[in-house]
Structure formats: C-alpha cells, structure tokens
mmCIF file of all heavy atoms in Angstrom:
data_model
loop_
_atom_site.group_PDB
_atom_site.id
_atom_site.type_symbol
_atom_site.label_atom_id
_atom_site.label_comp_id
_atom_site.label_asym_id
_atom_site.label_seq_id
_atom_site.Cartn_x
_atom_site.Cartn_y
_atom_site.Cartn_z
ATOM 1 N N TYR A 1 68.842 70.237 76.209
ATOM 2 C CA TYR A 1 70.162 69.608 76.073
ATOM 3 C C TYR A 1 71.250 70.570 76.558
ATOM 4 O O TYR A 1 72.128 70.197 77.339
ATOM 5 C CB TYR A 1 70.405 69.204 74.614
ATOM 6 C CG TYR A 1 71.837 68.803 74.327
ATOM 7 C CD1 TYR A 1 72.288 67.515 74.606
ATOM 8 C CD2 TYR A 1 72.751 69.721 73.798
ATOM 9 C CE1 TYR A 1 73.610 67.146 74.357
ATOM 10 C CE2 TYR A 1 74.069 69.358 73.548
ATOM 11 C CZ TYR A 1 74.491 68.077 73.826
ATOM 12 O OH TYR A 1 75.795 67.716 73.588
ATOM 13 N N TRP A 2 71.185 71.821 76.107
ATOM 14 C CA TRP A 2 72.215 72.793 76.480
ATOM 15 C C TRP A 2 72.064 73.259 77.926
ATOM 16 O O TRP A 2 73.065 73.532 78.602
ATOM 17 C CB TRP A 2 72.196 73.974 75.508
ATOM 18 C CG TRP A 2 72.757 73.576 74.176
ATOM 19 C CD1 TRP A 2 72.075 73.346 73.025
ATOM 20 C CD2 TRP A 2 74.138 73.317 73.874
ATOM 21 N NE1 TRP A 2 72.926 72.963 72.016
ATOM 22 C CE2 TRP A 2 74.206 72.942 72.507
ATOM 23 C CE3 TRP A 2 75.316 73.365 74.613
ATOM 24 C CZ2 TRP A 2 75.404 72.618 71.882
ATOM 25 C CZ3 TRP A 2 76.521 73.042 73.999
ATOM 26 C CH2 TRP A 2 76.560 72.680 72.639
ATOM 27 N N LEU A 3 70.840 73.340 78.417
ATOM 28 C CA LEU A 3 70.641 73.658 79.836
ATOM 29 C C LEU A 3 71.252 72.562 80.710
ATOM 30 O O LEU A 3 71.878 72.845 81.737
ATOM 31 C CB LEU A 3 69.148 73.802 80.149
ATOM 32 C CG LEU A 3 68.429 75.014 79.565
ATOM 33 C CD1 LEU A 3 66.958 74.986 79.955
ATOM 34 C CD2 LEU A 3 69.066 76.314 80.041
ATOM 35 N N HIS A 4 71.053 71.324 80.291
ATOM 36 C CA HIS A 4 71.589 70.189 81.045
ATOM 37 C C HIS A 4 73.119 70.222 81.040
ATOM 38 O O HIS A 4 73.765 69.983 82.082
ATOM 39 C CB HIS A 4 71.070 68.886 80.433
ATOM 40 C CG HIS A 4 71.206 67.707 81.327
ATOM 41 N ND1 HIS A 4 70.714 66.463 80.992
ATOM 42 C CD2 HIS A 4 71.795 67.542 82.543
ATOM 43 C CE1 HIS A 4 70.984 65.612 81.965
ATOM 44 N NE2 HIS A 4 71.653 66.242 82.906
ATOM 45 N N ARG A 5 73.712 70.527 79.919
ATOM 46 C CA ARG A 5 75.168 70.633 79.866
ATOM 47 C C ARG A 5 75.675 71.760 80.761
ATOM 48 O O ARG A 5 76.716 71.630 81.416
ATOM 49 C CB ARG A 5 75.626 70.840 78.423
ATOM 50 C CG ARG A 5 75.536 69.581 77.577
ATOM 51 C CD ARG A 5 76.259 69.710 76.253
ATOM 52 N NE ARG A 5 77.703 69.918 76.420
ATOM 53 C CZ ARG A 5 78.577 69.927 75.413
ATOM 54 N NH1 ARG A 5 78.146 69.724 74.170
ATOM 55 N NH2 ARG A 5 79.853 70.125 75.634
ATOM 56 N N ALA A 6 74.919 72.853 80.802
ATOM 57 C CA ALA A 6 75.305 73.968 81.674
ATOM 58 C C ALA A 6 75.269 73.556 83.139
ATOM 59 O O ALA A 6 76.123 73.965 83.930
ATOM 60 C CB ALA A 6 74.380 75.166 81.440
ATOM 61 N N GLN A 7 74.294 72.712 83.501
ATOM 62 C CA GLN A 7 74.202 72.242 84.876
ATOM 63 C C GLN A 7 75.415 71.414 85.287
ATOM 64 O O GLN A 7 75.755 71.351 86.464
ATOM 65 C CB GLN A 7 72.930 71.409 85.062
ATOM 66 C CG GLN A 7 71.655 72.238 85.127
ATOM 67 C CD GLN A 7 70.440 71.371 85.354
ATOM 68 O OE1 GLN A 7 70.123 70.495 84.551
ATOM 69 N NE2 GLN A 7 69.761 71.607 86.457
ATOM 70 N N HIS A 8 76.044 70.780 84.340
ATOM 71 C CA HIS A 8 77.233 69.975 84.625
ATOM 72 C C HIS A 8 78.517 70.793 84.535
ATOM 73 O O HIS A 8 79.514 70.457 85.185
ATOM 74 C CB HIS A 8 77.317 68.789 83.659
ATOM 75 C CG HIS A 8 76.372 67.680 83.983
ATOM 76 N ND1 HIS A 8 76.804 66.436 84.409
ATOM 77 C CD2 HIS A 8 75.012 67.616 83.957
ATOM 78 C CE1 HIS A 8 75.749 65.660 84.633
ATOM 79 N NE2 HIS A 8 74.655 66.360 84.353
ATOM 80 N N ALA A 9 78.500 71.855 83.738
ATOM 81 C CA ALA A 9 79.730 72.608 83.471
ATOM 82 C C ALA A 9 80.011 73.691 84.502
ATOM 83 O O ALA A 9 81.178 74.014 84.757
ATOM 84 C CB ALA A 9 79.656 73.232 82.077
ATOM 85 N N PHE A 10 78.966 74.292 85.091
ATOM 86 C CA PHE A 10 79.141 75.416 86.009
ATOM 87 C C PHE A 10 78.877 74.969 87.441
ATOM 88 O O PHE A 10 77.801 74.428 87.734
ATOM 89 C CB PHE A 10 78.227 76.580 85.620
ATOM 90 C CG PHE A 10 78.519 77.119 84.250
ATOM 91 C CD1 PHE A 10 77.712 76.761 83.170
ATOM 92 C CD2 PHE A 10 79.604 77.952 84.024
ATOM 93 C CE1 PHE A 10 77.982 77.243 81.903
ATOM 94 C CE2 PHE A 10 79.876 78.438 82.758
ATOM 95 C CZ PHE A 10 79.077 78.077 81.694
ATOM 96 N N ARG A 11 79.838 75.205 88.313
ATOM 97 C CA ARG A 11 79.818 74.637 89.662
ATOM 98 C C ARG A 11 78.535 74.921 90.452
ATOM 99 O O ARG A 11 77.959 73.993 91.019
ATOM 100 C CB ARG A 11 81.053 75.121 90.431
ATOM 101 C CG ARG A 11 81.115 74.680 91.875
ATOM 102 C CD ARG A 11 81.114 73.164 92.036
ATOM 103 N NE ARG A 11 82.274 72.553 91.426
ATOM 104 C CZ ARG A 11 82.541 71.253 91.485
ATOM 105 N NH1 ARG A 11 81.724 70.437 92.111
ATOM 106 N NH2 ARG A 11 83.613 70.766 90.899
ATOM 107 N N PRO A 12 78.045 76.180 90.545
ATOM 108 C CA PRO A 12 76.817 76.399 91.326
ATOM 109 C C PRO A 12 75.631 75.592 90.781
ATOM 110 O O PRO A 12 74.852 75.031 91.549
ATOM 111 C CB PRO A 12 76.575 77.909 91.207
ATOM 112 C CG PRO A 12 77.913 78.482 90.907
ATOM 113 C CD PRO A 12 78.601 77.455 90.049
ATOM 114 N N LEU A 13 75.513 75.553 89.440
ATOM 115 C CA LEU A 13 74.430 74.782 88.838
ATOM 116 C C LEU A 13 74.604 73.291 89.115
ATOM 117 O O LEU A 13 73.633 72.569 89.349
ATOM 118 C CB LEU A 13 74.365 75.036 87.331
ATOM 119 C CG LEU A 13 73.991 76.461 86.893
ATOM 120 C CD1 LEU A 13 74.024 76.575 85.384
ATOM 121 C CD2 LEU A 13 72.618 76.848 87.429
ATOM 122 N N TRP A 14 75.869 72.824 89.097
ATOM 123 C CA TRP A 14 76.113 71.410 89.357
ATOM 124 C C TRP A 14 75.755 71.044 90.797
ATOM 125 O O TRP A 14 75.159 69.990 91.047
ATOM 126 C CB TRP A 14 77.561 71.036 89.075
ATOM 127 C CG TRP A 14 77.918 69.712 89.696
ATOM 128 C CD1 TRP A 14 78.736 69.479 90.761
ATOM 129 C CD2 TRP A 14 77.384 68.424 89.329
ATOM 130 N NE1 TRP A 14 78.765 68.139 91.072
ATOM 131 C CE2 TRP A 14 77.940 67.471 90.210
ATOM 132 C CE3 TRP A 14 76.492 67.985 88.337
ATOM 133 C CZ2 TRP A 14 77.645 66.115 90.136
ATOM 134 C CZ3 TRP A 14 76.199 66.629 88.257
ATOM 135 C CH2 TRP A 14 76.765 65.712 89.146
ATOM 136 N N GLU A 15 76.096 71.893 91.761
ATOM 137 C CA GLU A 15 75.809 71.575 93.157
ATOM 138 C C GLU A 15 74.309 71.428 93.392
ATOM 139 O O GLU A 15 73.880 70.638 94.237
ATOM 140 C CB GLU A 15 76.396 72.641 94.085
ATOM 141 C CG GLU A 15 77.921 72.704 94.089
ATOM 142 C CD GLU A 15 78.583 71.428 94.581
ATOM 143 O OE1 GLU A 15 77.877 70.483 94.994
ATOM 144 O OE2 GLU A 15 79.830 71.357 94.549
ATOM 145 N N MET A 16 73.508 72.169 92.627
ATOM 146 C CA MET A 16 72.051 71.996 92.710
ATOM 147 C C MET A 16 71.628 70.716 91.983
ATOM 148 O O MET A 16 70.830 69.931 92.491
ATOM 149 C CB MET A 16 71.342 73.216 92.129
ATOM 150 C CG MET A 16 71.503 74.471 92.961
ATOM 151 S SD MET A 16 70.570 75.874 92.320
ATOM 152 C CE MET A 16 71.514 76.302 90.852
ATOM 153 N N HIS A 17 72.188 70.513 90.810
ATOM 154 C CA HIS A 17 71.820 69.353 89.989
ATOM 155 C C HIS A 17 72.327 68.042 90.587
ATOM 156 O O HIS A 17 71.795 66.969 90.292
ATOM 157 C CB HIS A 17 72.381 69.535 88.575
ATOM 158 C CG HIS A 17 71.947 68.503 87.588
ATOM 159 N ND1 HIS A 17 70.625 68.194 87.348
ATOM 160 C CD2 HIS A 17 72.677 67.680 86.769
ATOM 161 C CE1 HIS A 17 70.551 67.246 86.432
ATOM 162 N NE2 HIS A 17 71.784 66.913 86.069
ATOM 163 N N ALA A 18 73.354 68.140 91.443
ATOM 164 C CA ALA A 18 73.906 66.939 92.072
ATOM 165 C C ALA A 18 72.857 66.199 92.900
ATOM 166 O O ALA A 18 72.970 64.985 93.113
ATOM 167 C CB ALA A 18 75.099 67.309 92.956
ATOM 168 N N ILE A 19 71.842 66.916 93.370
ATOM 169 C CA ILE A 19 70.716 66.262 94.064
ATOM 170 C C ILE A 19 70.133 65.179 93.162
ATOM 171 O O ILE A 19 69.844 64.058 93.597
ATOM 172 C CB ILE A 19 69.620 67.290 94.422
ATOM 173 C CG1 ILE A 19 70.125 68.265 95.474
ATOM 174 C CG2 ILE A 19 68.351 66.583 94.907
ATOM 175 C CD1 ILE A 19 69.140 69.390 95.771
ATOM 176 N N HIS A 20 69.956 65.517 91.909
ATOM 177 C CA HIS A 20 69.390 64.588 90.933
ATOM 178 C C HIS A 20 70.297 63.378 90.743
ATOM 179 O O HIS A 20 69.829 62.232 90.723
ATOM 180 C CB HIS A 20 69.186 65.323 89.609
ATOM 181 C CG HIS A 20 68.545 64.514 88.532
ATOM 182 N ND1 HIS A 20 67.220 64.132 88.562
ATOM 183 C CD2 HIS A 20 69.054 63.993 87.381
ATOM 184 C CE1 HIS A 20 66.940 63.425 87.486
ATOM 185 N NE2 HIS A 20 68.038 63.317 86.748
ATOM 186 N N HIS A 21 71.596 63.620 90.647
ATOM 187 C CA HIS A 21 72.547 62.539 90.389
ATOM 188 C C HIS A 21 72.855 61.714 91.634
ATOM 189 O O HIS A 21 73.404 60.623 91.512
ATOM 190 C CB HIS A 21 73.839 63.112 89.801
ATOM 191 C CG HIS A 21 73.767 63.337 88.327
ATOM 192 N ND1 HIS A 21 74.268 62.448 87.407
ATOM 193 C CD2 HIS A 21 73.213 64.347 87.609
ATOM 194 C CE1 HIS A 21 74.045 62.906 86.185
ATOM 195 N NE2 HIS A 21 73.405 64.058 86.287
ATOM 196 N N SER A 22 72.534 62.211 92.803
ATOM 197 C CA SER A 22 72.855 61.482 94.030
ATOM 198 C C SER A 22 71.920 60.304 94.276
ATOM 199 O O SER A 22 72.148 59.518 95.197
ATOM 200 C CB SER A 22 72.829 62.423 95.239
ATOM 201 O OG SER A 22 71.508 62.895 95.490
ATOM 202 N N GLN A 23 70.882 60.156 93.461
ATOM 203 C CA GLN A 23 69.961 59.028 93.617
ATOM 204 C C GLN A 23 70.656 57.740 93.152
ATOM 205 O O GLN A 23 70.992 57.586 91.980
ATOM 206 C CB GLN A 23 68.684 59.263 92.808
ATOM 207 C CG GLN A 23 67.679 58.115 92.839
ATOM 208 C CD GLN A 23 67.233 57.731 94.241
ATOM 209 O OE1 GLN A 23 67.972 57.065 94.972
ATOM 210 N NE2 GLN A 23 66.049 58.149 94.623
ATOM 211 N N GLN A 24 70.875 56.842 94.091
ATOM 212 C CA GLN A 24 71.528 55.564 93.778
ATOM 213 C C GLN A 24 70.526 54.443 93.531
ATOM 214 O O GLN A 24 70.926 53.304 93.259
ATOM 215 C CB GLN A 24 72.471 55.190 94.926
ATOM 216 C CG GLN A 24 73.603 56.189 95.116
ATOM 217 C CD GLN A 24 74.428 55.916 96.354
ATOM 218 O OE1 GLN A 24 73.935 55.932 97.480
ATOM 219 N NE2 GLN A 24 75.710 55.637 96.150
ATOM 220 N N GLN A 25 69.237 54.784 93.638
ATOM 221 C CA GLN A 25 68.169 53.815 93.413
ATOM 222 C C GLN A 25 67.203 54.430 92.413
ATOM 223 O O GLN A 25 66.124 54.906 92.744
ATOM 224 C CB GLN A 25 67.451 53.500 94.730
ATOM 225 C CG GLN A 25 66.447 52.361 94.647
ATOM 226 C CD GLN A 25 67.115 51.016 94.502
ATOM 227 O OE1 GLN A 25 67.655 50.467 95.440
ATOM 228 N NE2 GLN A 25 67.068 50.469 93.295
ATOM 229 N N MET A 26 67.599 54.431 91.136
ATOM 230 C CA MET A 26 66.819 55.133 90.123
ATOM 231 C C MET A 26 65.523 54.413 89.784
ATOM 232 O O MET A 26 65.487 53.189 89.652
ATOM 233 C CB MET A 26 67.651 55.313 88.849
ATOM 234 C CG MET A 26 68.679 56.424 88.943
ATOM 235 S SD MET A 26 69.651 56.541 87.421
ATOM 236 C CE MET A 26 68.362 56.871 86.212
ATOM 237 N N THR A 27 64.448 55.206 89.642
ATOM 238 C CA THR A 27 63.160 54.726 89.148
ATOM 239 C C THR A 27 62.569 55.814 88.256
ATOM 240 O O THR A 27 63.144 56.901 88.134
ATOM 241 C CB THR A 27 62.166 54.444 90.295
ATOM 242 O OG1 THR A 27 61.786 55.690 90.910
ATOM 243 C CG2 THR A 27 62.760 53.505 91.337
ATOM 244 N N PHE A 28 61.419 55.542 87.682
ATOM 245 C CA PHE A 28 60.793 56.534 86.807
ATOM 246 C C PHE A 28 60.399 57.796 87.562
ATOM 247 O O PHE A 28 60.183 58.849 86.967
ATOM 248 C CB PHE A 28 59.573 55.939 86.089
ATOM 249 C CG PHE A 28 58.452 55.506 86.987
ATOM 250 C CD1 PHE A 28 57.426 56.364 87.318
ATOM 251 C CD2 PHE A 28 58.423 54.206 87.500
ATOM 252 C CE1 PHE A 28 56.388 55.957 88.143
ATOM 253 C CE2 PHE A 28 57.383 53.778 88.319
ATOM 254 C CZ PHE A 28 56.362 54.661 88.647
ATOM 255 N N TRP A 29 60.317 57.733 88.901
ATOM 256 C CA TRP A 29 60.002 58.921 89.701
ATOM 257 C C TRP A 29 61.209 59.847 89.823
ATOM 258 O O TRP A 29 61.061 61.015 90.221
ATOM 259 C CB TRP A 29 59.544 58.529 91.104
ATOM 260 C CG TRP A 29 58.287 57.719 91.179
ATOM 261 C CD1 TRP A 29 58.172 56.423 91.596
ATOM 262 C CD2 TRP A 29 56.955 58.141 90.843
ATOM 263 N NE1 TRP A 29 56.859 56.015 91.536
ATOM 264 C CE2 TRP A 29 56.090 57.041 91.074
ATOM 265 C CE3 TRP A 29 56.416 59.342 90.367
ATOM 266 C CZ2 TRP A 29 54.714 57.111 90.858
ATOM 267 C CZ3 TRP A 29 55.042 59.404 90.140
ATOM 268 C CH2 TRP A 29 54.211 58.306 90.383
ATOM 269 N N SER A 30 62.403 59.377 89.510
ATOM 270 C CA SER A 30 63.628 60.137 89.781
ATOM 271 C C SER A 30 63.784 61.364 88.890
ATOM 272 O O SER A 30 64.591 62.254 89.194
ATOM 273 C CB SER A 30 64.859 59.234 89.607
ATOM 274 O OG SER A 30 64.815 58.135 90.490
ATOM 275 N N ASP A 31 63.044 61.431 87.809
ATOM 276 C CA ASP A 31 63.177 62.548 86.873
ATOM 277 C C ASP A 31 62.971 63.897 87.563
ATOM 278 O O ASP A 31 63.671 64.864 87.276
ATOM 279 C CB ASP A 31 62.171 62.370 85.729
ATOM 280 C CG ASP A 31 62.081 63.588 84.841
ATOM 281 O OD1 ASP A 31 63.149 64.134 84.499
ATOM 282 O OD2 ASP A 31 60.969 63.999 84.493
ATOM 283 N N ALA A 32 62.004 63.985 88.480
ATOM 284 C CA ALA A 32 61.637 65.275 89.089
ATOM 285 C C ALA A 32 62.539 65.671 90.249
ATOM 286 O O ALA A 32 62.368 66.745 90.824
ATOM 287 C CB ALA A 32 60.185 65.221 89.564
ATOM 288 N N ARG A 33 63.486 64.853 90.601
ATOM 289 C CA ARG A 33 64.359 65.100 91.754
ATOM 290 C C ARG A 33 65.351 66.215 91.420
ATOM 291 O O ARG A 33 66.399 65.986 90.833
ATOM 292 C CB ARG A 33 65.085 63.790 92.081
ATOM 293 C CG ARG A 33 66.057 63.828 93.256
ATOM 294 C CD ARG A 33 66.825 62.524 93.267
ATOM 295 N NE ARG A 33 67.840 62.454 94.287
ATOM 296 C CZ ARG A 33 67.723 61.759 95.429
ATOM 297 N NH1 ARG A 33 66.618 61.091 95.676
ATOM 298 N NH2 ARG A 33 68.704 61.748 96.302
ATOM 299 N N GLU A 34 65.031 67.440 91.784
ATOM 300 C CA GLU A 34 65.865 68.600 91.467
ATOM 301 C C GLU A 34 65.773 69.650 92.571
ATOM 302 O O GLU A 34 64.847 69.634 93.385
ATOM 303 C CB GLU A 34 65.424 69.244 90.146
ATOM 304 C CG GLU A 34 65.920 68.538 88.898
ATOM 305 C CD GLU A 34 67.398 68.789 88.598
ATOM 306 O OE1 GLU A 34 68.060 69.485 89.395
ATOM 307 O OE2 GLU A 34 67.881 68.282 87.567
ATOM 308 N N HIS A 35 66.702 70.571 92.570
ATOM 309 C CA HIS A 35 66.654 71.696 93.500
ATOM 310 C C HIS A 35 65.624 72.708 93.019
ATOM 311 O O HIS A 35 65.409 72.863 91.817
ATOM 312 C CB HIS A 35 68.040 72.365 93.598
ATOM 313 C CG HIS A 35 68.200 73.232 94.801
ATOM 314 N ND1 HIS A 35 67.727 74.524 94.845
ATOM 315 C CD2 HIS A 35 68.759 72.984 96.017
ATOM 316 C CE1 HIS A 35 68.012 75.041 96.029
ATOM 317 N NE2 HIS A 35 68.634 74.132 96.760
ATOM 318 N N VAL A 36 64.985 73.401 93.951
ATOM 319 C CA VAL A 36 63.953 74.364 93.578
ATOM 320 C C VAL A 36 64.533 75.458 92.679
ATOM 321 O O VAL A 36 63.856 75.952 91.765
ATOM 322 C CB VAL A 36 63.289 74.972 94.840
ATOM 323 C CG1 VAL A 36 64.301 75.758 95.675
ATOM 324 C CG2 VAL A 36 62.114 75.855 94.454
ATOM 325 N N LEU A 37 65.804 75.837 92.895
ATOM 326 C CA LEU A 37 66.422 76.861 92.048
ATOM 327 C C LEU A 37 66.677 76.340 90.634
ATOM 328 O O LEU A 37 66.724 77.124 89.683
ATOM 329 C CB LEU A 37 67.720 77.359 92.675
ATOM 330 C CG LEU A 37 67.562 78.119 94.001
ATOM 331 C CD1 LEU A 37 68.913 78.574 94.523
ATOM 332 C CD2 LEU A 37 66.628 79.314 93.833
ATOM 333 N N SER A 38 66.836 75.028 90.493
ATOM 334 C CA SER A 38 66.942 74.446 89.151
ATOM 335 C C SER A 38 65.623 74.588 88.405
ATOM 336 O O SER A 38 65.609 74.833 87.191
ATOM 337 C CB SER A 38 67.341 72.971 89.238
ATOM 338 O OG SER A 38 68.654 72.823 89.717
ATOM 339 N N TYR A 39 64.509 74.430 89.139
ATOM 340 C CA TYR A 39 63.199 74.640 88.515
ATOM 341 C C TYR A 39 63.061 76.083 88.045
ATOM 342 O O TYR A 39 62.533 76.352 86.955
ATOM 343 C CB TYR A 39 62.080 74.304 89.502
ATOM 344 C CG TYR A 39 61.772 72.830 89.599
ATOM 345 C CD1 TYR A 39 62.314 72.045 90.606
ATOM 346 C CD2 TYR A 39 60.928 72.220 88.677
ATOM 347 C CE1 TYR A 39 62.038 70.687 90.694
ATOM 348 C CE2 TYR A 39 60.645 70.869 88.753
ATOM 349 C CZ TYR A 39 61.197 70.109 89.759
ATOM 350 O OH TYR A 39 60.919 68.768 89.831
ATOM 351 N N VAL A 40 63.520 77.027 88.863
ATOM 352 C CA VAL A 40 63.464 78.437 88.492
ATOM 353 C C VAL A 40 64.318 78.681 87.244
ATOM 354 O O VAL A 40 63.891 79.347 86.296
ATOM 355 C CB VAL A 40 63.948 79.326 89.653
ATOM 356 C CG1 VAL A 40 64.038 80.786 89.214
ATOM 357 C CG2 VAL A 40 63.017 79.193 90.852
ATOM 358 N N PHE A 41 65.518 78.110 87.234
ATOM 359 C CA PHE A 41 66.445 78.249 86.106
ATOM 360 C C PHE A 41 65.803 77.744 84.812
ATOM 361 O O PHE A 41 65.766 78.454 83.796
ATOM 362 C CB PHE A 41 67.726 77.478 86.435
ATOM 363 C CG PHE A 41 68.716 77.367 85.309
ATOM 364 C CD1 PHE A 41 69.290 78.490 84.735
ATOM 365 C CD2 PHE A 41 69.094 76.117 84.821
ATOM 366 C CE1 PHE A 41 70.220 78.382 83.711
ATOM 367 C CE2 PHE A 41 70.017 75.996 83.795
ATOM 368 C CZ PHE A 41 70.579 77.142 83.243
ATOM 369 N N TYR A 42 65.276 76.534 84.853
ATOM 370 C CA TYR A 42 64.644 75.950 83.662
ATOM 371 C C TYR A 42 63.410 76.747 83.238
ATOM 372 O O TYR A 42 63.195 77.004 82.047
ATOM 373 C CB TYR A 42 64.254 74.496 83.926
ATOM 374 C CG TYR A 42 65.311 73.495 83.520
ATOM 375 C CD1 TYR A 42 66.420 73.250 84.327
ATOM 376 C CD2 TYR A 42 65.212 72.792 82.330
ATOM 377 C CE1 TYR A 42 67.395 72.338 83.958
ATOM 378 C CE2 TYR A 42 66.179 71.869 81.944
ATOM 379 C CZ TYR A 42 67.272 71.647 82.769
ATOM 380 O OH TYR A 42 68.231 70.750 82.391
ATOM 381 N N ALA A 43 62.600 77.139 84.216
ATOM 382 C CA ALA A 43 61.351 77.843 83.894
ATOM 383 C C ALA A 43 61.630 79.179 83.220
ATOM 384 O O ALA A 43 60.965 79.542 82.239
ATOM 385 C CB ALA A 43 60.532 78.048 85.163
ATOM 386 N N LEU A 44 62.598 79.915 83.729
ATOM 387 C CA LEU A 44 62.919 81.220 83.150
ATOM 388 C C LEU A 44 63.445 81.076 81.727
ATOM 389 O O LEU A 44 63.034 81.813 80.821
ATOM 390 C CB LEU A 44 63.944 81.945 84.021
ATOM 391 C CG LEU A 44 63.441 82.466 85.365
ATOM 392 C CD1 LEU A 44 64.587 83.044 86.179
ATOM 393 C CD2 LEU A 44 62.361 83.519 85.172
ATOM 394 N N VAL A 45 64.355 80.117 81.518
ATOM 395 C CA VAL A 45 64.928 79.954 80.182
ATOM 396 C C VAL A 45 63.864 79.481 79.187
ATOM 397 O O VAL A 45 63.756 80.012 78.074
ATOM 398 C CB VAL A 45 66.116 78.965 80.208
ATOM 399 C CG1 VAL A 45 66.612 78.685 78.793
ATOM 400 C CG2 VAL A 45 67.251 79.519 81.049
ATOM 401 N N LEU A 46 63.068 78.494 79.581
ATOM 402 C CA LEU A 46 62.050 77.976 78.663
ATOM 403 C C LEU A 46 60.960 79.020 78.400
ATOM 404 O O LEU A 46 60.381 79.056 77.311
ATOM 405 C CB LEU A 46 61.441 76.694 79.219
ATOM 406 C CG LEU A 46 62.373 75.474 79.172
ATOM 407 C CD1 LEU A 46 61.738 74.286 79.888
ATOM 408 C CD2 LEU A 46 62.708 75.092 77.738
#
C-alpha cells in the first residue's frame, strides 16, 4: 500500500508507474504491466 502511494507521490517513480496506468483496455493481465525498475524497487523493499 505504501509502496504504491510512493509511486504516485514521487515523480521518477510515477513516470515508471505511469506505464501501468496508461493501459486504457484493462484486463486481468494488466497487473504485471510495470517498468523493470519498478520490479527492482518492489523486490528490494519486500
């Protein structure tokens, strides 16, 4: 929850996360749509 809020609050994180939000045709596959650096960010924190 807090990682997700950080992705919206801090500009560099948002520009990566914007890939996820740019999907205008959402399906259950859309969950994994992220920048590779976002995966690194989440993996390190978790």
Side-chain angles (χ1 to χ4, degrees):
Y1 169 83
W2 287 105
L3 291 179
H4 197 175
R5 286 192 63 173
Q7 285 182 299
H8 284 247
F10 298 101
R11 176 59 62 177
L13 294 178
W14 164 251
E15 294 298 356
M16 291 184 288
H17 187 54
I19 293 174
H20 183 70
H21 277 262
S22 67
Q23 177 57 283
Q24 297 173 299
Q25 188 72 75
M26 283 178 60
T27 69
F28 63 91
W29 297 114
S30 300
D31 171 44
R33 180 189 177 104
E34 280 285 2
H35 198 278
V36 63
L37 294 180
S38 292
Y39 278 97
V40 174
F41 172 61
Y42 267 79
L44 289 175
V45 174
L46 288 174

